[in-house]
Every structure is written in structure tokens, then in C-alpha cells.
Amino acid sequence: MPLDADFAFSQGSLSDYADCARRFELRYIQRLRYPALEVAQALEYERRTRQGARFHKLVQQHALGIPADILAQSLQDDAEVARWWQQYRARGSADLPPRRHAEIPLQTQLGGYRLLAKYDLLALEPGGAAIIVDWKTGARVPPRQSLARRMQTLVYRYVLARAGAHLYGAPIPPERIQMRYVYVAAAGERVSFDYSREQMQADEALLLTTIKAASAAKAYPLTPQESRCRFCSYRSLCGRGEAGDLAEFEFEEEEAQEEALSVDFADVEEVEF
Ligand code: SF4
């Protein structure tokens, strides 16, 4: 089934295609919504989803100028989010460049399609560093190699290099870009990835290959790796068994953002060099 010409790829859709072509088809072509629970402990999952969204809202409000102390006062009903907020204040943002943009979307073109990224925070110093910060509220920090291969790491750096010039004041040299994951529920641990022209070329080739494969596919088969089905919301459509356990689930905030991506990006400014 061909994709619409205005289809927009994102790190979420590319990750889904790489994981399972069928999931990509169900979520982004058929646009089916969550027919099954993603993890076994549904109420706990919902609670953590709300906490993650609340934390990201705080970061956005702080970037817009609301003092951190004022925001902290609103957290007396949730000790866990209050702890994350302490980590954010202690480890999250003090050393970042001054020009900051929270919850900002950017897009570029690749392979004839739009490629989108929505950033938790961009911290820029014209002529200096361009740092992408992504806050994670999951307790487990994935292995560095796993994060390095993650589509989010590839897409976020690539889109910023291609489409961030209007924020930076000039085209951003890839060497100035850094992607930084901050795990506020894991003592504020950071995992950072620098960038380079060579890395950008390699990432572009991989992204282009994936976009071409996803857009030209004649069929979208189920993944043969059934372990990938345990945390997939489409299990009931594929006859792929029980939900996995929350304790093993690497909690991600990006899926909620993906919901926003499909409606927000029509008006996103695109500037390429
Ligand atoms: S349940 Fe498994 S096969 Fe079905 S869409 Fe999800 S990951 Fe793919």
C-alpha cells in the first residue's frame, strides 16, 4: 500500500518499521488506535504516563521563564515527580547554552517525504554548542550501544543539522551538535552523543534506506521476533499472546508525543542549508 505523498516520518514511525513492518502499517497507514494493553499493569502504566507528561510540562514551563521554586511548590501531591524535579534542577539544565527552546518541532525532507522531530529542549549558543536534551522518566538506563542505534538519536541530530539554522543564526555544523539523554529517575544519569559530518552521512543513508523500504513496501509482514510483541499494543490483532510486565518495560515518553506530531507539523517552519 503506497504512502500518501504528504506522509511524515518521525523517529517513532521509523522505529516501528524497523521493529515490525506490520506495526508500522497498523499504526501509521491504517491508523488503528491501541486495541490491547501495552503492559500487564494497566493502572500503574497510566499513572506513570501521567507523571511523565507532568514532568515534561514542568520543564516546558521552566524554559518559558516560570521560576523552578514556584513550579516545585505545585508538586506536593507527588513525591516521585518532585524527586525528578530535584534531579532536573541539580543535573539537568544548569550547564546548557542560554538560548533555549522547549517542546519545539522541526522538520526537513528526506527521500521525498517529510522527516519530523519534536524536541524536549534545544539549547543553543550561536557559533557554539547546539545541545538536544531529551528527558527520560524511566528508571532503567538502556545500554549506551542501544541508545546510539536508537532512531531517536539518529533522527533528532539529523533534523537539527538540516533544519535548525533559523534558531542558531546560521547552518549548524554537525560537530556542534550533541544529543543528551537525561534520566531523572535514575539519579539524573546522562548519556550523550556527539555528532560529525561522517556520522551525519552514515545516519542519512540509514534513514533514507528505511524511508524507502517503508514507503515502497508491497506488504508489511509480522515480525518473526515474537519477543518484540510483548509490549506491542496490537497483539490482539496479530494473535501474539499476553502483555509483558511493566518492570521489564523501558518506559518511553515519545509515544505520547507521536500523537501530537501528526497534527502539529503542517505549520512547522523548515529551513535547510
Ligand atoms: S503484535 Fe508483534 S507482529 Fe503484531 S504488530 Fe505488534 S510487534 Fe508486530
Side-chain angles (χ1 to χ4, degrees):
M1 184 187 297
L3 297 179
D4 292 341
D6 65 348
F7 185 86
F9 282 93
S10 65
Q11 63 95 11
S13 59
L14 291 169
S15 294
D16 278 336
Y17 185 78
D19 268 2
C20 174
R22 173 68 169 159
R23 190 193 299 158
F24 174 86
E25 180 190 29
L26 291 170
R27 182 168 288 164
Y28 297 99
I29 299 177
Q30 296 190 17
R31 295 185 173 274
L32 291 183
R33 305 289 292 268
Y34 313 107
L37 296 176
E38 200 152 2
V39 293
Q41 298 93 334
L43 290 177
E44 175 64 4
Y45 177 76
E46 282 179 20
R47 185 182 72 82
R48 290 179 58 178
T49 300
R50 282 197 302 273
Q51 286 181 310
R54 186 177 187 183
F55 174 79
H56 280 77
K57 184 76 175 171
L58 289 169
V59 171
Q60 184 179 16
Q61 290 172 320
H62 188 224
L64 290 172
I66 300 177
D69 287 336
I70 301 281
L71 293 169
Q73 288 170 17
S74 70
L75 296 175
Q76 289 169 356
D77 62 329
D78 194 324
E80 197 166 18
V81 178
R83 275 198 301 278
W84 298 349
W85 188 242
Q86 283 174 356
Q87 288 296 340
Y88 165 82
R89 296 178 67 179
R91 300 259 304 143
S93 64
D95 61 343
L96 292 173
R99 187 179 292 184
R100 299 179 188 181
H101 305 272
E103 299 292 332
I104 185 168
L106 292 177
Q107 68 172 325
T108 186
Q109 292 275 334
L110 188 62
Y113 291 91
R114 290 187 293 156
L115 178 61
L116 318 173
K118 185 178 179 187
Y119 301 91
D120 284 352
L121 184 70
L122 293 177
L124 310 171
E125 182 174 9
I131 298 181
I132 303 161
V133 185
D134 196 75
W135 313 101
K136 299 293 189 191
T137 57
R140 192 178 76 82
V141 181
R144 182 177 177 82
Q145 288 302 330
S146 161
L147 285 172
R149 288 194 301 270
R150 183 176 283 198
M151 282 292 179
Q152 186 180 11
T153 308
L154 276 64
V155 169
Y156 278 30
R157 292 181 304 183
Y158 181 78
V159 172
L160 181 60
R162 289 283 303 268
H166 63 299
L167 302 173
Y168 190 74
I172 306 178
E175 293 75 17
R176 301 283 189 193
I177 293 174
Q178 182 189 77
M179 173 95 196
R180 179 186 296 180
Y181 295 100
V182 182
Y183 288 82
V184 290
E189 186 171 334
R190 296 176 178 183
V191 185
S192 298
F193 297 94
D194 293 334
Y195 209 31
S196 66
R197 288 185 192 281
E198 294 74 25
Q199 187 66 54
M200 186 176 172
Q201 286 173 354
D203 290 355
E204 181 179 81
L206 195 149
L207 293 170
L208 194 52
T209 299
T210 310
I211 287 172
K212 283 183 175 173
S215 58
K218 299 267 190 292
Y220 295 91
L222 283 61
T223 177
Q225 289 184 251
E226 294 200 21
S227 61
R228 292 178 175 170
C229 303
R230 296 185 61 226
F231 300 107
C232 178
S233 50
Y234 298 110
R235 292 183 311 279
S236 60
L237 298 179
C238 302
R240 286 284 176 92
E242 301 288 312
D245 191 275
L246 184 63
E248 300 169 36
F249 183 62
E250 185 188 325
F251 198 77
E252 291 290 350
E253 291 89 6
E254 282 74 31
E255 272 206 5
Q257 294 183 0
E258 292 289 319
E259 294 295 303
L261 286 172
S262 61
V263 296
D264 284 343
F265 273 92
D267 300 323
V268 175
E269 187 173 359
E270 176 184 355
V271 179
E272 301 210 28
F273 65 86

